[in-house]
Structure formats: structure tokens, C-alpha cells
Amino acid sequence: GSISEFGQIAKDRQKPIDNMQKAVSEYKEKTLTNPDSTDTNYLELSTDIKKSIDELIKTSIGEEKKVFLTLKDYFRKADSVNVSWNNAYNAFAEPRILDFTRLDKKEEYEFQKNVIQKYINESKNFKSFVQNRVEYLKTKAKNIDRNSKSYKGFIKGLTNKDSIQKPIFIPYINAHIEYGQGIKKIIELLENEQGKWSYENETETLIFENSEAQTTYEKILNGAISNEEIVNELSDKLVEI
């Protein structure tokens, strides 16, 4: 009986693994064809992965079960970091931010600076999590036998994935941080020059009375535009890997 039982466990194990791979492929496909649906797609992916991990925990024992429990804990943490960042990014991407027609009172400047700062902070938090995630996992897995096949396979898989993703993710998230910092500087410049600038809707140009402020603005804007280009270029690459 034990051999056929093992065969059944192996089969039970394969299904959630297949489901996870299917969920990842679907996420890639949907997100690349429709980038605006990233949030919804991520939510679906996250739900599917959690479900699969729960099934793997149910059908495993010993060290392997500990590995899946650690993976569940890690994924919960990764998920919360990702969701917090997404929320901060979405608030920053609202049309209200950098809407020049609104920027005429102190409260509005404060509101916009706070939203932008939250986006910068969450981007830094996301960067720190990704930079330290292999170490984070190793710490979480300290009650697992280091010599077990499950543990070794698990760490190898993660380290491998990390080495492929990090070289793209770090410049991507750095561009987000710098982009946020650039937009915040523009808001601060507008506030400092309050009453001495105007925005022309037709030509979409911002004109400062002070030529030095104009030069500063154009310099910050160019930096922000190049960071935005990096974000756009690398976001597709990130989805692909």
C-alpha cells in the first residue's frame, strides 16, 4: 500500500505545482497584453499561489512540510510589500498629482508632497525587501535541516531566480525612487515660486518668471522623463522573468 500511496502523494503534489506555473504564465500573458490590468492580474496570481502552497502543505510531511510553511510565510510578507507599494504607486499616478490648476494653496501642496513621499518610501521598502529576501528566507527557515533535499532545492531555486531578477529589478525600482524624488522637487519648486509661475494649457508648458527657476525646472523634468523611460522599458522585462 505504501508505494501506491506514495504515488498518489506525488500526484497530489504535482497538481498544485502545475497550477502555480499556469498562474504565472497567465499573469505574464495578461499583463504584457494589457498593462493597465496589472493590479487585478496580480491579485489573481497571488490568490492562486496561496491556494497552491496550502495544498502542498496538506500533502507533505517532515522537512518538506516545513519548507512549504516557510514559503507560505515568505509569500505573505512579499505579498504585503508588493500590495503596499502598488497602493502608494496608484495614489501617486492619480491625475490630481502634478495638476497645476490645483496647486494654488498650501493644503494642496502638502497633500501632493505626502502622496509622493509615500511612493518614494514604499519604493525604498520594496527595494530593501528584494535586496534581502534570500537572507530573510534563510532566517525564516532556521528550523529546517540544512542538509535536507527539500531545503537545498528550495534555496537553490530561490537564489537562482534572485540572480536573474535582481539585475533588472534594482535599476527598475531605483528609477521609481528617483522619478518620485524628481516630481517632489518640482512640487517644492512651484511652492517656493508661488505666484511667479503660470501654466499654459494649449502648449502644456510651465513658465517661471525667474529664469533660474525655469532652468532648474527643466533640468529636474528631463531627469524625471529619463527615469520614466527606464521604468517603462524594464517593467515588461520584469513581467517576462
Side-chain angles (χ1 to χ4, degrees):
S2 61
I3 288 179
S4 62
E5 221 169 88
F6 178 75
Q8 188 53 47
I9 286 176
K11 220 191 288 180
D12 290 343
R13 188 77 43 82
Q14 198 49 48
K15 194 165 178 262
I17 291 171
D18 290 344
N19 287 346
M20 263 197 251
Q21 286 168 337
K22 185 170 169 262
V24 171
S25 306
E26 281 175 5
Y27 170 75
K28 283 184 190 177
E29 205 176 310
K30 286 180 192 166
T31 306
L32 289 169
T33 49
N34 185 8
D36 292 338
S37 66
T38 305
D39 289 4
T40 327
N41 298 342
Y42 179 78
L43 207 66
E44 281 176 21
L45 173 68
S46 165
T47 310
D48 288 344
I49 285 183
K50 283 177 197 158
K51 220 187 288 175
S52 298
I53 294 172
D54 282 340
E55 283 174 33
L56 288 165
I57 290 167
K58 262 186 252 167
T59 57
S60 57
I61 52 164
E63 297 308 302
E64 191 173 43
K65 186 170 194 156
K66 286 185 197 169
V67 166
F68 291 131
L69 283 164
T70 305
L71 188 59
K72 183 179 181 173
D73 179 280
Y74 164 79
F75 192 75
R76 199 184 290 127
K77 169 78 176 160
D79 207 26
S80 77
V81 169
N82 205 313
V83 169
S84 298
W85 179 81
N86 244 324
N87 292 341
Y89 173 73
N90 288 337
F92 167 77
E94 283 290 322
R96 179 175 176 177
I97 303 301
L98 216 58
D99 176 347
F100 302 110
T101 59
R102 286 173 175 266
L103 290 165
D104 52 7
K105 45 189 180 296
K106 191 165 173 48
E107 298 77 42
E108 188 60 29
Y109 279 105
E110 287 311 312
F111 172 81
Q112 295 203 21
K113 283 190 292 186
N114 286 337
V115 169
I116 299 166
Q117 192 56 52
K118 181 120 176 62
Y119 161 58
I120 296 166
N121 294 348
E122 289 297 346
S123 296
K124 287 180 174 174
N125 188 36
F126 200 177
K127 178 184 175 179
S128 165
F129 175 72
V130 171
Q131 277 178 321
N132 302 302
R133 61 187 177 182
V134 176
E135 285 316 306
Y136 173 85
L137 248 170
K138 283 180 178 171
T139 314
K140 286 283 169 194
K142 58 176 176 280
N143 67 329
I144 303 170
D145 176 10
R146 291 282 188 266
N147 295 313
S148 74
K149 201 174 152 195
S150 312
Y151 177 80
K152 283 181 175 169
F154 173 51
I155 294 297
K156 189 183 171 194
L158 188 84
T159 311
N160 197 359
K161 194 78 177 156
D162 195 57
S163 67
I164 299 167
Q165 284 180 347
K166 226 185 255 178
I168 294 171
F169 180 81
I170 299 300
Y172 164 82
I173 205 71
N174 279 342
H176 270 288
I177 295 166
E178 285 172 31
Y179 182 62
Q181 286 166 338
I183 301 298
K184 191 170 177 225
K185 276 182 195 158
I186 290 174
I187 302 281
E188 286 165 347
L189 184 67
L190 290 166
E191 191 174 17
N192 288 338
E193 299 291 318
Q194 186 61 43
K196 290 183 278 182
W197 59 266
S198 60
Y199 181 70
E200 289 181 7
N201 251 328
E202 266 114 70
T203 53
E204 292 186 353
T205 38
L206 192 60
I207 294 167
F208 289 86
E209 285 172 20
N210 175 347
S211 64
E212 219 172 282
Q214 187 74 37
T215 309
T216 304
Y217 164 69
E218 280 161 17
K219 199 175 159 192
I220 300 168
L221 184 67
N222 288 335
I225 290 168
S226 65
N227 278 310
E228 195 179 15
E229 282 166 1
I230 294 170
V231 165
N232 293 337
E233 184 197 328
L234 295 181
S235 60
D236 278 359
K237 280 189 187 172
L238 268 179
V239 173
E240 280 162 20
I241 58 162

